[in-house]
Amino acid sequence: MAPNDSAQITGENGGTGELPAGRRRAARYVVPVGVAAVAAATIGLVPALAAAGDPDLPAISAQELIEKIAASDTEQLSGTVKVKTDLGIPAIGGLGGATAGAFAPKGGTEDGEKGGSAAEPTGRMMELASGEHTLRVAADGPAKQRVSILDSAAEYSLIHNSGEVWAYDSASNEAYHAKAPAGAHGSGKDQAAPKDLPATPQDFAREALKAAAGTTSVTVDGTARIAGRDAYQLVIKPKQEGSTVGSVKVAVDAGTGTPLKFTLLPSSGGKAAIDVGFTKVDFSKPAASTFDFTPPKGAKVTEADESKATGKDEAHKVPKGAGELGTEPNVIGEGWTSVVRLDTGGKSPAGAVSGDMPAQAQQFMDALGDKVEGKFGSGTVFKTRLVNALMTDDGKVYVGAVTKDALVKVANEAK
């Protein structure tokens, strides 16, 4: 095993292993949001348990490994990914479109139908927020990607091919079709897309590391064997008090610099909150047919424009009142303990939502909440193992990957 490197990226003047100034620019949004983005995005490009026997690799410093990730240009791959998510919320796997439908306004749509297409992506991808899932993934640059969620007797696929987006649910034999938005990567109109916005898992990892500068310890902690590949283990730990993130471990492919495994451990202890990574991976160009899709005979096809025009995708919208925020979000603090503040203009988000929620959804929300009081007044903290949100009775919302006490402190100081 290569010797471990314990140099810390401190972001302080004169600190050992300091990142170049141009790459230490703090992100405008909270680091945990970046970490969550890494976790979500790496579903498409990043964990299997390490095989027995760690590989013997040349020693590498934390600085060098970060540079290796930054230099990675992997755009073509295929493989199988295992996703394990335990955020401390009720399991929603297998509910498909009904998951989002449970939070829809009462009464359904104007034409009397309740819910939209079972293949509509919003509800189906929510399944990955809890439980264990097996995915089959493929990518060929920014224009072609495919992600399939594999169940025991069914499969759900989301395919992007040069501006065309298809989703198909084999259990219901329903398909959903849309055009990629103008400006989206790979849409054929991506000239308008800002170049500094993250578009790949590597981009998200770089953004998270940039945001972490000055508030984080970054070390190399040995090696591992992931999906048949030799990898270095990069460990990221917050130096600030009050974060719900204990540590993040990223297994980095020794050859390509591509993240192969992402594991986030909460500060409260216990098993990983998010564990995502390859069990099989191939960095060769996938066959072009991988990204071809034609709806099977007899499949019900829903067009995105048609669905919106008729209101049939109402089940996948935010409940009435939940998105009526009076101001743009403000970021309070920095690093791992940053908190995003929203102002609903005097309307309590919890109250706005509850009147339009089905009883089942309201019970779900109530089960997550703790009543709190402070200088700010009173409110409710909705909690998971990773991200918590304080909704005050006078219409303020504070959200971050921080503890309940940290949220209350921020709210008190903001008054």
Side-chain angles (χ1 to χ4, degrees), residues 110-124:
E110 293 180 0
D111 60 2
E113 294 187 24
K114 294 183 179 180
S117 170
E120 201 278 334
T122 304
R124 293 311 304 266

Side-chain angles (χ1 to χ4, degrees), residues 262-326:
F262 178 97
T263 304
L264 188 153
L265 294 173
S267 58
S268 58
K271 59 184 178 181
I274 301 170
D275 191 15
V276 184
F278 284 108
T279 57
K280 295 180 182 179
V281 64
D282 183 348
F283 290 107
S284 60
K285 180 183 177 71
S289 59
T290 302
F291 310 101
D292 293 337
F293 178 79
T294 301
K297 183 177 180 180
K300 175 187 174 183
V301 178
T302 300
E303 294 289 339
D305 292 340
E306 171 191 342
S307 180
K308 291 178 181 178
T310 61
K312 290 180 180 179
D313 63 350
E314 188 74 19
H316 306 287
K317 295 181 180 178
V318 178
K320 181 180 179 181
E324 299 172 0
L325 302 178

